[in-house]
């Protein structure tokens, strides 16, 4: 594994967008969390969000990976909200500065993760790009995040391998480490229908193993625990799980937040260790908040 992480257990934050929407009452069109930087209310909510996770990490004396609110801060999504390319580059840089300031003076090691999301919907593959097209599309955002000084790029909720390969190549060109995280359906396959193992092999083959590691996110541990043993040795290092065991289709139709059972989720995630992947990065995705990560950290320590 990259020396950026080593073998030490790292926590991550949880479902930023679902926390801002359902707990803080902030409207996020298109799940675009970067928009909160434009208001004092939004900035205060984001600062509180980071503080909660930093407090959990300090309580358990564990390093933590915290995302910038930039999962939707690429050109297609930004244009839908009226942001020009220059404004998007600026908001990506501002997001990194905001995260760095929020972590100032804390007693745990923090890795600033530049969050990059899919060009399309995070639940379905939809219209796909070639790896070269994906590299060109995502390069401006990745370059802005790299220039602002993120520790790594996190490609989150990838639904097919070509887009993941393009992001990895763009990060490689920008000189910043990249972790690639695929999402899976309830049967453990990507929304594209490809197996997790095959997707990892394809990205590694196309990029010369550019990703420092792979992760699974936006899925419940019961959806993918059975496929971890099929993945290439040492390549899957992290999980960021949904609170709910519902499918992507069911979550898309949901009108209320399903927080699941934090204690049961923590036990389920801890139970993924030893099932075929060398997991050292643990965190949350949709529906999770700092309470889920606190329970997870406690379960990992048992």
């Amino acid at each position: 594994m990259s020396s950026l992480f080593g073998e030490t257990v790292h926590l991550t934050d949880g479902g930023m967008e679902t926390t801002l929407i359902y707990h803080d009452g902030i409207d996020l069109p298109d799940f675009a969390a970067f928009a909160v930087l434009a208001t004092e209310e939004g900035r205060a909510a984001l600062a509180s969000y980071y503080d909660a996770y930093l407090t959990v990490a300090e309580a358990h004396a564990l390093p933590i990976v915290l995302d910038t609110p930039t999962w939707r801060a690429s050109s297609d999504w930004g244009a839908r909200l009226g942001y020009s390319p220059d404004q998007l580059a600026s908001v990506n840089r501002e997001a990194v500065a905001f995260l760095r300031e929020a972590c100032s003076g804390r007693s745990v090691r923090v890795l600033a993760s530049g969050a990059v999301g899919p060009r399309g919907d995070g639940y379905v593959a939809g219209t796909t790009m070639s790896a070269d097209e994906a590299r060109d599309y995502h390069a401006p955002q990745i370059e802005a995040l790299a220039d602002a000084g993120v520790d790594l790029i996190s490609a989150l909720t990838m639904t097919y391998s070509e887009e993941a390969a393009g992001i990895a190549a763009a990060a490689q060109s920008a000189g910043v480490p990249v972790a690639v995280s695929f999402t899976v359906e309830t049967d453990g396959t990507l929304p594209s229908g490809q197996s997790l193992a095959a997707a990892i092999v394809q990205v590694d083959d196309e990029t010369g193993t550019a990703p420092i590691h792979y992760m699974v996110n936006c899925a419940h541990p019961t959806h993918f625990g059975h496929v971890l043993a099929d993945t290439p040795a040492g390549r899957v290092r992290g999980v960021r799980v949904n609170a709910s065991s519902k499918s992507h289709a069911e979550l898309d139709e949901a009108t209320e937040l399903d927080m699941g059972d934090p204690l049961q989720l923590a036990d389920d995630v801890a139970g993924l260790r030893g099932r075929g992947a060398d997991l050292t990065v643990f965190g949350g995705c949709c529906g999770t908040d700092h309470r889920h990560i606190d329970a997870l950290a406690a379960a990992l320590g048992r």
Side-chain angles (χ1 to χ4, degrees), residues 18-209:
T18 51
T19 295
L20 292 171
I21 293 169
Y22 290 100
H23 295 315
D24 297 321
I26 297 176
D27 184 32
L28 292 182
D30 291 330
F31 254 40
F34 69 86
V36 303
L37 294 171
T39 68
E40 287 304 314
E41 175 196 16
R43 294 171 75 89
L46 187 58
S48 177
Y49 173 87
Y50 285 140
D51 177 71
Y53 287 98
L54 289 163
T55 299
V56 169
E58 287 173 334
H60 294 277
L62 290 172
I64 189 166
V65 183
L66 292 177
D67 284 339
T68 54
T70 54
W71 185 68
R72 284 298 199 212
S74 63
S75 61
D76 283 6
W77 294 102
R80 285 166 61 102
L81 297 177
Y83 284 73
S84 70
D86 286 345
Q87 288 173 320
L88 271 181
S90 178
V91 82
N92 274 283
R93 291 191 293 267
E94 182 184 3
V96 179
F98 188 93
L99 172 56
R100 291 293 191 192
E101 177 61 27
C103 299
S104 177
R106 304 303 290 249
S107 64
V108 291
R109 180 177 185 241
V110 179
L111 293 178
S113 160
V116 174
R119 185 177 188 175
D121 190 289
Y123 283 169
V124 296
T127 302
T128 60
M129 299 176 284
S130 69
D132 287 345
E133 289 169 335
R135 179 197 62 210
D136 293 343
Y137 174 79
H138 288 287
Q141 181 186 14
I142 289 170
E143 289 166 1
L145 292 167
D147 289 345
V150 291
D151 294 305
L152 76 158
I153 297 295
S154 292
L156 296 168
T157 329
M158 293 292 105
T159 59
Y160 66 102
S161 54
E162 289 83 3
E163 184 167 23
I167 291 174
Q172 194 172 39
S173 295
V176 61
V178 58
V180 167
S181 187
F182 288 109
T183 190
V184 296
E185 302 294 350
T186 56
D187 63 357
T189 63
L190 272 61
S192 65
Q194 190 175 31
S195 72
L196 178 62
I200 291 169
V201 169
Q202 181 174 338
V203 175
D204 273 352
D205 285 348
E206 293 185 8
T207 65
T209 63

